[in-house]
Amino acid sequence: MLRIKGKAVSPGIAMGRAQLHDVIREVVLAESIGERAVEREIWRLENAVKKSRAQLKKIHLGLQKIMGKDAAFIIETQVMLLGDSHLLGEIKETIKGKLVKAEWAIHSVEKKYLEIFRAIPDLSFKAKSNDVSDVLNRLISNLKRSAPVRAAATAPPGPVILVADDITPSEAATLMSHKRLLGLVLNKGGETSHTAILARTLGIPAILDTGNATELIASDDTVALDSVRGEVIVQPTPEVAAEIGGKIDKFTLYKERLKELSQLPELTRDGHQFHLLANIELPFESEIVQSYGAKGIGLYRTEYLYLDSKAGISEDEQYLVYKKIAQNIFPHPLVVRTYDLGRDKSESARSPREENPSLGLMAVRRFLRDREPFKTQIKAVMRANASGNIRILFPMVTEVEEVRAIRAIMAEAKKELQRAGAYPKRDVQVGIMLEIPAAVRLIRHLGNDVDFFSVGTNDLIQYLLAVDRNNADVAHLFSPFHPAIVHILKEIRREADRAGKEVAVCGEMAGRRLPALMLLGLGFANFSMNALAIAEIKGVFTRIHYSRLRRIVSRLEFFATRGEIEGFLRTELEKAYPGLLQESQGSA
């Protein structure tokens, strides 16, 4: 028996026969052409685009028929990518400029995109490179007038746990549509990849980023997949297999319970109201968040829109994206966070490196210097607000002067849209993120210029404690239970109340049981989190009495260490509500 660790990206437990899935990529050679052949190569490219679009639309319709709109969004995104004028324009320019065949031009453009994604330390952006490769390799296959060469392009025989180095989004959509996958194990991949999102949408357990699962698992091996713990067990013993069987039964009951929880009113046992919203990164995620119980989108991270197009995404393109998302979740709110670039995110591998990017030119600071992309995004958000449920959120604000500069840009944008007859006569509410301790101390002044606040606990903890949570040497110091964090959260709640402004929490604390309970006890009522956490947090909140929780949390200020605070909170809550903090019934 062998145990393999990986990243659990779609919760669930499964056991069955393994099937290895190999992908053989098309071989592309650097073939030169004469100038007279340029038009022919562009014609070949355009024909390949048409053929690829037709193939994807056929897959899309099939998926939609079998599993509904929520599961077919991946292919819809692929079709949209084929219509990206920037991407196709770059391929055509490569054919013309370098006098090469269309296959090599596509290969060259793909290489450039992959270099850009690899230069971004943020894993959520690295994962998106798979989407670009998927579409471009389909084009190459169609240029060669052959179907993509893939070992498991059709349904695998019988229910299996698929094991692969990686699979593309369109492959994942096709394989999952046959409803024969018990689970998915990949060497690569991240939790924000389209493959991971599709697995979560369809409820297929998945463990990614195992490193070498394909070297340790053979086809027809019995494999147990526990994507609650992030563990793959190869050839389990009879005792372990029996244990996994029991977990499968428990997790099935747990999922049914979560479905029930997602429909519950957002009220504690003594009638205190709270609101749970979803964080998203990709537009199509708006199609599914309400099925998890989300009452809107509290944080739409828009960096991918910017980074996904090297030539820059236009106002019209952004407008259509924001409008569609707002319509998908209407009448619930959509909070659009403006580009949070800098630090671990950069729009180009050639961007100048800073000595200390976490204290440098980032987010609002960056776009107050280079205002055009910033203003374009603001105008797109304003135009899209015809439904009146869009809000705009500005990250990494430090001082009042920045907010006033933002307001001046927004006033200019509004006038320009009004002159063009494109302003929808519904003003967008304006908010700022509280991530830098200096901004917290200015809430009473900032409140004069903003409509709401959103607490980014990840960065607030990092900046207040001077701890890089991605640095293994100091990550143990990164704690939401540090006394200074408790004090600053109390200050935020108090000052926001004095300013008469709504305040939400959108960092990781909101989606974890114990920290979320502490936040609720501190007086926060609006939370935004990964959609998968919503039902679980709702289940916790609806089990407790707000008045009792407030009394417990009010005593935290008397403790001097993070260990004392966490220990006291855990002990008192378990005493009052046994089993409340058990992380997942599926792993019991």
Side-chain angles (χ1 to χ4, degrees):
M1 186 175 77
L2 176 67
R3 295 178 186 266
I4 303 170
K5 287 292 185 180
K7 181 174 288 185
V9 299
S10 179
I13 302 173
M15 184 163 57
R17 181 172 62 84
Q19 176 165 318
L20 263 64
H21 170 74
D22 296 319
V23 175
I24 303 173
R25 289 173 61 95
E26 297 279 5
V27 176
V28 181
L29 302 175
E31 297 182 60
S32 299
I33 60 171
E35 289 187 10
R36 292 183 179 179
V38 167
E39 286 189 16
R40 171 174 169 75
E41 288 305 307
I42 290 176
W43 175 81
R44 290 182 66 234
L45 173 65
E46 290 174 345
N47 274 344
V49 169
K50 289 177 184 177
K51 188 173 181 180
S52 298
R53 188 179 287 119
Q55 291 167 348
L56 290 171
K57 284 184 176 178
K58 185 176 180 180
I59 296 172
H60 178 269
L61 288 172
L63 284 172
Q64 199 168 33
K65 184 178 180 181
I66 295 168
M67 295 180 291
K69 184 179 179 182
D70 287 351
F73 63 84
I74 294 290
I75 302 303
E76 183 180 353
T77 302
Q78 298 262 325
V79 174
M80 290 171 64
L81 189 54
L82 276 174
D84 186 335
S85 59
H86 298 302
L87 181 64
L88 297 179
E90 190 167 356
I91 296 169
K92 291 177 182 178
E93 287 302 315
T94 303
I95 294 171
K96 295 175 185 176
K98 296 187 177 181
L99 294 177
V100 292
K101 293 192 73 171
E103 289 91 336
W104 186 255
I106 294 170
H107 176 76
S108 300
V109 169
E110 179 190 12
K111 187 177 178 182
K112 284 184 181 180
Y113 272 86
L114 295 184
E115 286 174 356
I116 290 171
F117 281 112
R118 289 187 187 114
I120 303 169
D122 190 316
L123 292 177
S124 66
F125 289 96
K126 285 181 181 294
K128 310 304 186 295
S129 63
N130 210 8
D131 306 316
V132 176
S133 291
D134 192 0
V135 170
L136 296 184
N137 278 285
R138 181 176 291 276
L139 282 178
I140 291 173
S141 293
N142 283 322
L143 279 165
K144 289 176 172 287
R145 298 186 179 181
S146 65
V149 182
R150 294 183 172 94
T154 56
V160 297
I161 291 175
L162 199 72
V163 182
D165 182 57
D166 201 359
I167 58 175
T168 67
S170 61
E171 283 180 299
T174 302
L175 290 166
M176 292 180 190
S177 70
H178 293 286
K179 297 186 177 181
R180 293 185 179 181
L181 288 191
L182 297 173
L184 183 64
V185 179
L186 300 182
N187 291 344
K188 300 176 183 177
E191 61 185 337
T192 59
S193 69
H194 288 192
T195 299
I197 292 168
L198 185 57
R200 290 196 290 268
T201 303
L202 301 181
I204 295 173
I207 295 180
L208 277 55
D209 199 22
T210 61
N212 62 346
T214 52
E215 298 172 17
L216 303 173
I217 300 173
S219 286
D220 295 325
D221 277 351
T222 298
V223 171
L225 186 157
D226 184 342
S227 65
V228 175
R229 292 183 175 177
E231 185 176 64
V232 181
I233 304 171
V234 186
Q235 301 289 57
T237 64
E239 294 78 13
V240 171
E243 180 186 341
I244 291 293
K247 286 185 176 183
I248 291 172
D249 293 338
K250 287 182 179 179
F251 194 82
T252 300
L253 294 174
Y254 173 67
K255 285 199 299 183
E256 291 302 315
R257 174 62 178 152
L258 287 183
K259 287 181 182 178
E260 295 173 8
L261 289 173
S262 68
Q263 304 305 315
L264 288 177
E266 294 179 318
L267 295 170
T268 62
R269 286 174 67 178
D270 51 352
H272 181 75
Q273 183 89 48
F274 57 86
H275 304 285
L276 305 182
L277 293 84
N279 296 341
I280 69 168
E281 285 191 56
L282 301 168
F284 51 74
E285 291 179 87
S286 65
E287 302 272 2
I288 60 174
V289 294
Q290 292 185 85
S291 67
Y292 290 112
K295 301 300 183 183
I297 294 170
L299 180 66
Y300 172 29
R301 302 181 179 99
T302 60
E303 294 79 48
Y304 182 55
L305 284 178
Y306 186 85
L307 294 169
D308 193 37
S309 179
K310 292 197 297 178
I313 183 167
S314 71
E315 179 187 322
D316 286 342
E317 289 169 323
Q318 290 187 72
Y319 157 71
L320 291 173
V321 170
Y322 304 142
K323 180 181 178 182
K324 183 176 181 181
I325 296 174
Q327 290 173 339
N328 284 343
I329 64 164
F330 185 83
H332 303 304
L334 164 63
V335 180
V336 178
R337 186 180 70 182
T338 57
Y339 305 134
D340 188 9
L341 297 176
R343 293 173 293 168
D344 56 352
K345 305 178 186 77
S346 172
E347 77 274 21
S348 171
R350 298 179 295 277
S351 291
R353 295 188 178 275
E354 296 181 275
E355 289 283 332
N356 193 340
S358 291
L359 300 178
L361 192 63
M362 57 190 172
V364 165
R365 299 174 184 181
R366 187 184 197 95
F367 286 101
L368 286 177
R369 174 176 289 193
D370 180 14
R371 298 190 174 199
E372 281 313 304
F374 191 49
K375 189 174 179 181
T376 297
Q377 185 176 32
I378 289 171
K379 289 172 74 174
V381 173
M382 286 179 166
R383 283 177 59 193
N385 193 38
S387 53
N389 62 326
I390 299 182
R391 296 175 164 192
I392 193 166
L393 180 65
F394 298 96
M396 303 306 294
V397 169
T398 312
E399 58 185 13
V400 173
E401 290 91 331
E402 288 171 328
V403 177
R404 289 176 181 168
I406 288 166
R407 282 291 196 180
I409 294 172
M410 291 187 72
E412 291 174 13
K414 180 177 179 178
K415 286 181 181 177
E416 290 176 14
L417 290 175
Q418 286 175 329
R419 283 196 295 268
Y423 193 76
K425 298 181 181 178
R426 289 178 180 266
D427 289 337
V428 175
Q429 286 197 334
V430 177
I432 63 168
M433 293 197 73
L434 297 173
E435 303 170 278
I436 299 176
V440 175
R441 292 302 170 93
L442 293 174
I443 287 176
R444 64 184 65 185
H445 302 293
L446 290 164
N448 295 326
D449 294 296
V450 303
D451 301 304
F452 67 98
F453 296 103
S454 187
V455 185
T457 56
N458 301 348
D459 280 317
L460 182 63
I461 295 171
Q462 178 166 275
Y463 284 114
L464 188 63
L465 303 185
V467 172
D468 179 357
R469 60 196 169 118
N470 296 315
N471 182 333
D473 293 327
V474 296
H476 65 285
L477 298 173
F478 185 93
S479 170
F481 303 108
H482 190 288
I485 300 302
V486 176
H487 290 307
I488 201 167
L489 289 169
K490 286 182 67 176
E491 181 180 352
I492 289 171
R493 181 69 267 179
R494 182 179 65 248
E495 292 299 317
D497 284 344
R498 285 179 180 173
K501 302 295 179 181
E502 177 187 312
V503 60
V505 180
C506 63
E508 287 181 12
M509 282 181 70
R512 294 166 50 202
R513 292 188 177 209
L514 191 60
L517 283 163
M518 184 176 79
L519 288 164
L520 184 66
L522 287 169
F524 292 93
N526 300 295
F527 303 84
S528 190
M529 64 197 72
N530 183 309
L532 288 172
I534 289 174
E536 194 161 334
I537 296 301
K538 183 182 281 190
V540 172
F541 284 3
T542 53
R543 283 181 61 188
I544 59 95
H545 298 81
Y546 180 68
S547 56
R548 180 181 292 181
L549 179 65
R550 288 283 280 178
R551 287 195 297 272
I552 293 171
V553 172
S554 69
R555 296 164 63 188
L556 298 182
E557 63 183 69
F558 299 113
F559 297 101
T561 72
R562 65 179 188 272
E564 290 171 345
I565 287 175
E566 182 175 2
F568 172 79
L569 192 58
R570 188 178 294 278
T571 299
E572 291 299 308
L573 288 171
E574 282 288 359
K575 188 191 304 180
Y577 305 99
L580 182 71
L581 301 178
Q582 186 175 328
E583 285 300 317
S584 175
Q585 304 302 318
S587 60

